[in-house]
Amino acid sequence: MTFETPRFTTLCQRCRVLEFDDSAWPRAHEAGSETEGYYLAVGRGGHIHLKYELRDSLPDLPVLSESELDGCGFCPVLKKAIQRFITGNSHKREFSVGLEYLWNSCDSAEDPQDVGLMALVARVDWIGDDDDDDMTFLRFDIEALSGNCGEWLRLEPSRRDEVLCPDNLQMIFDEIEDSCHTRTVSEGGTVYPTRLIEVGDEGADFCRLVETESDPILSSSTEIPFATLSYCWGPPEDAARQFQTERSSLDNRLSGFPIAQVSPILRDAIQVARALRIPYLWVDAVCIIQDDKDDWDRESSRMGVVYKNATLTICTPTSTSCQEGFVERESIATGILFQSTINENISGSYLVRFVGEADGICDRFESLHWDCEHSGWALRGWTLQEFELSQRIVVFGKTRLHVRTSRGTKSEAHDWIQLEYESGEDDTAHQIGTLPQWIEEKAYKDWIWLIQRYSRRQLTHHTDKLPAISGLVTQLLGHCPERYLAGHLVPYIDLFWGANLTLTNTRLTKTALTNSLESRDLYVAPSWSWASRSHGVDFRDFGFCPLPWSLPFKETSTDIREECEVMNASISLEDSNPFGRVKGGSLVMRGVVVPPFSDVRLLSKPTWRRVRCRANENGSYVAYMILDWTEFEDRRSLEGLSLLLIGSCEVARLRDPVHDEYEDELPAPLEEVLGDGLQAGATARETEHEEEVPNGEGLCKEDTDDSSSGDDQRSAYGIVIHPSSQPGKYLRLGIFYSIPLERGGLQYFQGRPMQTVEII
């Protein structure tokens, strides 16, 4: 698709504010020299709020439509951008719009190349909504068009009209040639997947599936190029129509198939492979026999090696489904005239192009990050390891084309490379003996960060939760499955994960949660594993984070110490993949178990997608509990919850969530909040020497915690457990932490009986 980029446009009276006055920026002034060129310098990054007021209504948008008919160039662009979100906001009718320009200055830009006019953001406020935060932010990129205003405003260069134009193809060729690439030999002694698509020559109407071991070309060399495709299958109705290989169609695929029959996403991938002169292509839907469980299990366990060995991976954030291509570009854009009031010799025009919905005014606008994260592709579970394990990646983004290699990232129309980020922080500063010797701290940090990101992603089949990252696990652990416990590596640290329901509309009761954890049809992992939940997780809560580093988290803990013992850990695998699906699991731990408290206070509302409680004894603080459900179904929702201590640490920055967030909102004790029907257990001090917690199945007295004194400044943390339907076994339903305030901290748990509990 070829389109004419407008060089300038006529604007209505309301939209003429887009032709902004550059002297209005804070401390704006001319900088540079005749030799290096003159440019606009701004004292600090910020916003210019334009005097733009629009009020319109869905679905017809009469105000914008009338202005479009009158010839305004920006109103139809804004109209099309808003129409993209009618489906998601169909219950909303009236809205108002505000506009502001965003500028990155030297003190706010992460990269020197990011300095300058970044974007135009439209804030859409939905009228009549009770929620003050219910608004939509639409991002428009700004690109240089004509004149010398591009250098003055330090604008991004315009992207090319055709994504597979000669200049873009040459950029990809150059980056492939200049980057490093090594291949790993799999257990079967090959560097290739079991099957590949032979794409054929340019203009050919047919492709065919080949079995690599018997193919004369592939069996003769380990250096034959092949590409992989990373894409979204899309909604079930699209996935059901996808061109794929099944047992009944395998012979036909091997004989050859017409390109006209394949899904749009595959058709474009074949076009890209041919343009890059890569003869083979791997696509999961075609190269794995979809209705053969043994083949799927075997091939899915090898996906990590497939993407790692690929010459390059084609990533498609612009496509939301297998029924949608990614090569044809769409442009919702218009040109805006510019005349500097600081330097009368500066004039020209720039392009305002709609690229998508932003998370907010201060969203990160670096183009590769935007293209990857603001897409349906970034929400798909499988694409995380596909991206992380690939050595070379070509990203077909909404803003522009990118090539990511070992050298860094090269973006379309740019003549510079953005180097891979390397922290200047000395990792050895955190080597404090916290982790077992078999795992490196950097690898563990990367793992925790990846899991936190991955948990927010979606899967077509919920049972793929562990298989979809098995390639990453293989790279981290090699072939040592005994170290890996259904997504966990170091139990006394990474069992401390909390439910993050703020990004979803999940409304979950305690009963629904426990039923799903014990359902065989819904089973994915044991209750103590983050993989057992269908929502995001965080390895921290407010100011408490028992992790031995500061990045990517602000909170830092030191001297993390194990306060429990894993007596036995067992996982029952469903198939041959040692890092794949599980059908059962048990974790037997010995540690201090504190029975339920009678005085529990609510510190958050279910509508905030998190239940946070404060456990007290004799009116004094003991611990905070963060539970994995959002709704109270009756007055007994908090009955039967016990605290299992798993670790302790010294927290560099202590924050009291009560005083920081809810100082004026401390509710009454739980008996008063939920009524007289609540029957809580005895206070902790009254039962601290008992051998069992209430309902006491599975908890037996072993010995006594004889930890030495001197731990008065140590915080304690662990998991919240509840009896399961299986006698003597427990479910994990939340986390807790106890900081050294009032009665809290590690000292509260010392001197108590050590007990053994089995969690399933």
Side-chain angles (χ1 to χ4, degrees):
M1 170 181 170
T2 303
F3 52 83
E4 288 283 331
T5 300
R7 290 298 183 258
F8 62 90
T9 188
T10 301
L11 298 176
C12 65
Q13 185 65 36
R14 180 176 48 245
C15 293
R16 284 178 187 168
V17 296
L18 291 168
E19 298 173 348
F20 68 91
D21 179 359
D22 54 359
S23 66
W25 290 101
R27 300 197 300 277
H29 61 279
E30 183 178 68
S33 65
E34 187 174 347
T35 302
E36 64 175 321
Y38 295 102
Y39 58 90
L40 178 65
V42 175
R44 58 181 175 83
H47 315 158
I48 284 187
H49 297 271
L50 303 179
K51 293 181 179 179
Y52 179 93
E53 295 181 2
L54 169 70
R55 184 160 178 161
D56 211 338
S57 62
L58 295 172
D60 297 328
L61 302 170
V63 177
L64 288 172
S65 297
E66 182 179 358
S67 183
E68 179 182 10
L69 292 174
D70 290 340
C72 178
F74 181 71
C75 283
V77 170
L78 180 60
K79 176 184 173 181
K80 290 178 182 177
I82 293 173
Q83 285 174 332
R84 292 296 177 91
F85 298 94
I86 287 180
T87 301
N89 299 290
S90 58
H91 65 289
K92 305 176 173 69
R93 292 189 57 81
E94 289 191 79
F95 61 88
S96 63
V97 178
L99 297 178
E100 50 193 289
Y101 281 114
L102 272 62
W103 182 282
N104 240 9
S105 61
C106 293
D107 59 351
S108 63
E110 293 185 4
D111 189 283
Q113 300 287 351
D114 291 335
V115 174
L117 187 61
M118 289 194 306
L120 174 73
V121 175
R123 186 182 70 182
V124 182
D125 291 278
W126 301 99
I127 297 172
D129 289 327
D130 295 332
D131 188 352
D132 293 336
D133 295 328
D134 197 5
M135 59 184 66
T136 301
F137 297 91
L138 305 178
R139 171 189 167 181
F140 299 80
D141 267 3
I142 299 177
E143 303 170 5
L145 276 183
S146 65
N148 54 8
C149 68
E151 293 81 5
W152 176 256
L153 299 173
R154 287 178 283 182
L155 301 177
E156 287 276 302
S158 293
R159 75 177 191 183
R160 287 141 187 160
D161 290 349
E162 298 287 344
V163 69
L164 293 180
C165 66
D167 287 339
N168 282 353
L169 291 176
Q170 189 60 51
M171 177 185 73
I172 299 173
F173 287 135
D174 291 344
E175 292 307 302
I176 290 176
E177 182 177 352
D178 293 341
S179 61
C180 299
H181 182 267
T182 58
R183 282 181 166 169
T184 301
V185 179
S186 66
E187 286 185 335
T190 180
V191 298
Y192 301 117
T194 302
R195 305 175 191 90
L196 286 169
I197 300 170
E198 185 179 3
V199 299
D201 297 327
E202 190 74 34
D205 296 329
F206 282 79
C207 295
R208 71 184 181 103
L209 189 66
V210 299
E211 294 182 335
T212 57
E213 286 190 3
S214 58
D215 183 81
I217 296 176
L218 293 168
S219 60
S220 64
S221 172
T222 61
E223 301 299 326
I224 305 297
F226 73 91
T228 50
L229 179 64
S230 178
Y231 69 107
C232 297
W233 281 39
E237 57 271 20
D238 286 358
R241 296 186 293 115
Q242 182 175 201
F243 182 83
Q244 55 188 317
T245 299
E246 298 172 333
R247 283 177 288 188
S248 61
S249 61
L250 177 59
D251 289 340
N252 289 334
R253 303 289 182 261
L254 293 171
S255 298
F257 52 87
I259 297 177
Q261 289 184 358
V262 306
S263 306
I265 194 82
L266 176 54
R267 190 177 307 128
D268 280 5
I270 292 170
Q271 181 183 350
V272 172
R274 287 177 172 180
L276 295 175
R277 300 192 288 273
I278 296 177
Y280 295 95
L281 176 67
W282 188 90
V283 180
D284 57 358
V286 179
C287 297
I288 299 177
I289 305 174
Q290 296 299 309
D291 59 350
D292 187 325
K293 185 178 182 302
D294 291 339
D295 191 74
W296 192 94
D297 291 340
R298 180 177 59 254
E299 298 303 308
S300 64
S301 68
R302 298 181 58 204
M303 274 193 198
V305 175
V306 171
Y307 281 89
K308 186 175 181 181
N309 284 350
T311 304
L312 63 81
T313 293
I314 302 166
C315 293
T316 61
T318 53
S319 173
T320 61
S321 162
C322 60
Q323 303 301 330
E324 180 181 353
F326 59 92
V327 168
E328 190 171 286
R329 279 185 158 169
E330 179 186 35
S331 182
I332 303 176
T334 191
I336 304 294
L337 292 174
F338 175 81
Q339 173 62 58
S340 172
T341 60
I342 296 177
N343 184 334
E344 63 180 13
N345 295 318
I346 303 297
S347 63
S349 64
Y350 55 84
L351 190 74
V352 173
R353 187 197 306 278
F354 174 65
V355 294
E357 184 177 8
D359 295 332
I361 292 293
C362 297
D363 197 5
R364 182 178 174 185
F365 285 88
E366 183 268 315
S367 58
L368 176 60
H369 176 270
W370 171 275
D371 282 334
C372 289
E373 296 302 321
H374 292 77
S375 65
W377 173 87
L379 298 176
R380 179 176 174 252
W382 286 94
T383 60
L384 179 65
Q385 75 168 9
E386 293 166 3
F387 186 86
E388 293 293 335
L389 294 177
S390 298
Q391 298 184 63
R392 300 185 182 123
I393 301 169
V394 178
V395 179
F396 288 80
K398 290 181 180 179
T399 65
R400 55 191 65 227
L401 183 78
H402 314 274
V403 185
R404 182 175 180 260
T405 68
S406 56
R407 296 203 314 151
T409 299
K410 182 76 176 290
S411 295
E412 174 183 356
H414 285 289
D415 57 4
W416 49 271
I417 291 179
Q418 181 175 330
L419 300 178
E420 289 297 290
Y421 172 77
E422 293 183 5
S423 172
E425 187 177 355
D426 183 4
D427 287 334
T428 60
H430 296 307
Q431 296 291 345
I432 51 179
T434 292
L435 297 173
Q437 293 183 353
W438 61 269
I439 187 170
E440 295 181 359
E441 187 161 324
K442 184 181 184 304
Y444 186 59
K445 177 168 69 171
D446 292 344
W447 171 253
I448 292 293
W449 181 230
L450 282 170
I451 291 305
Q452 189 162 281
R453 291 165 51 201
Y454 173 70
S455 67
R456 290 152 171 74
R457 298 188 173 218
Q458 302 164 0
L459 292 160
T460 303
H461 305 290
H462 68 280
T463 52
D464 288 350
K465 196 71 172 267
L466 292 172
I469 54 168
S470 60
L472 286 169
V473 183
T474 301
Q475 178 159 300
L476 178 67
L477 298 180
H479 298 281
C480 302
E482 68 275 3
R483 303 286 196 186
Y484 185 67
L485 300 172
H488 291 267
L489 301 174
V490 186
Y492 66 90
I493 295 179
D494 56 35
L495 283 182
F496 187 86
W497 55 266
N500 185 330
L501 301 167
T502 58
L503 301 178
T504 68
N505 292 319
T506 304
R507 303 180 70 87
L508 191 63
T509 64
K510 177 185 175 183
T511 298
L513 173 62
T514 56
N515 288 343
S516 67
L517 292 175
E518 298 198 81
S519 168
R520 299 314 306 171
D521 293 334
L522 301 176
Y523 190 86
V524 174
S527 68
W528 40 265
S529 169
W530 56 263
S532 65
R533 306 304 202 266
S534 59
H535 50 68
V537 302
D538 287 324
F539 291 87
R540 55 177 170 170
D541 180 74
F542 283 79
F544 190 86
C545 179
L547 295 171
W549 52 76
S550 58
L551 291 174
F553 310 104
K554 293 181 179 179
E555 303 86 359
T556 305
S557 298
T558 60
D559 193 21
I560 300 173
R561 192 170 73 199
E562 185 176 13
E563 302 289 350
C564 66
E565 182 180 358
V566 177
M567 307 294 292
N568 183 57
S570 61
I571 295 295
S572 178
L573 296 174
E574 187 173 303
D575 50 57
S576 58
N577 184 357
F579 306 117
R581 293 171 178 164
V582 300
K583 56 185 178 181
S586 170
L587 191 61
V588 180
M589 304 182 73
R590 186 181 68 180
V592 172
V593 179
V594 176
F597 294 82
S598 61
D599 183 1
V600 180
R601 303 190 181 196
L602 302 176
L603 295 182
S604 67
K605 300 176 182 178
T607 54
W608 294 348
R609 302 290 179 256
R610 175 170 286 194
V611 175
R612 304 184 70 253
C613 306
R614 168 172 161 165
N616 297 319
E617 181 180 282
N618 298 328
S620 297
Y621 160 83
V622 174
Y624 297 114
M625 296 190 297
I626 302 90
L627 306 177
D628 292 345
W629 66 89
T630 62
E631 311 294 320
F632 282 99
E633 56 203 308
D634 55 41
R635 299 177 178 181
R636 296 178 295 275
S637 293
L638 301 183
E639 281 191 344
L641 300 177
S642 302
L643 310 184
L644 172 59
L645 177 68
I646 63 173
S648 67
C649 61
E650 295 179 1
V651 182
R653 296 192 320 165
L654 290 178
R655 290 173 52 197
D656 185 345
V658 175
H659 298 302
D660 284 351
E661 305 292 341
Y662 314 111
E663 184 174 2
D664 298 325
E665 300 181 26
L666 266 179
L670 191 62
E671 298 93 324
E672 299 176 27
V673 174
L674 300 180
D676 297 334
L678 176 67
Q679 300 295 323
T683 65
R685 287 297 184 195
E686 292 171 341
T687 60
E688 66 177 325
H689 297 298
E690 294 179 7
E691 296 184 2
E692 301 177 347
V693 298
N695 299 324
E697 304 94 347
L699 299 182
C700 56
K701 183 174 180 179
E702 296 283 352
D703 52 27
T704 300
D705 181 4
D706 59 355
S707 299
S708 60
S709 59
D711 291 334
D712 57 317
Q713 294 302 310
R714 293 187 68 83
S715 296
Y717 64 90
I719 58 178
V720 178
I721 59 175
H722 184 276
S724 74
S725 62
Q726 301 182 40
K729 299 180 181 180
Y730 285 77
L731 298 174
R732 177 248 188 247
L733 298 185
I735 56 176
F736 79 89
Y737 61 93
S738 177
I739 59 181
L741 296 176
E742 300 184 12
R743 291 181 179 268
L746 179 61
Q747 283 195 329
Y748 180 83
F749 296 83
Q750 291 177 334
R752 296 177 178 274
M754 297 282 285
Q755 304 178 64
T756 300
V757 59
E758 180 180 4
I759 313 168
I760 59 173

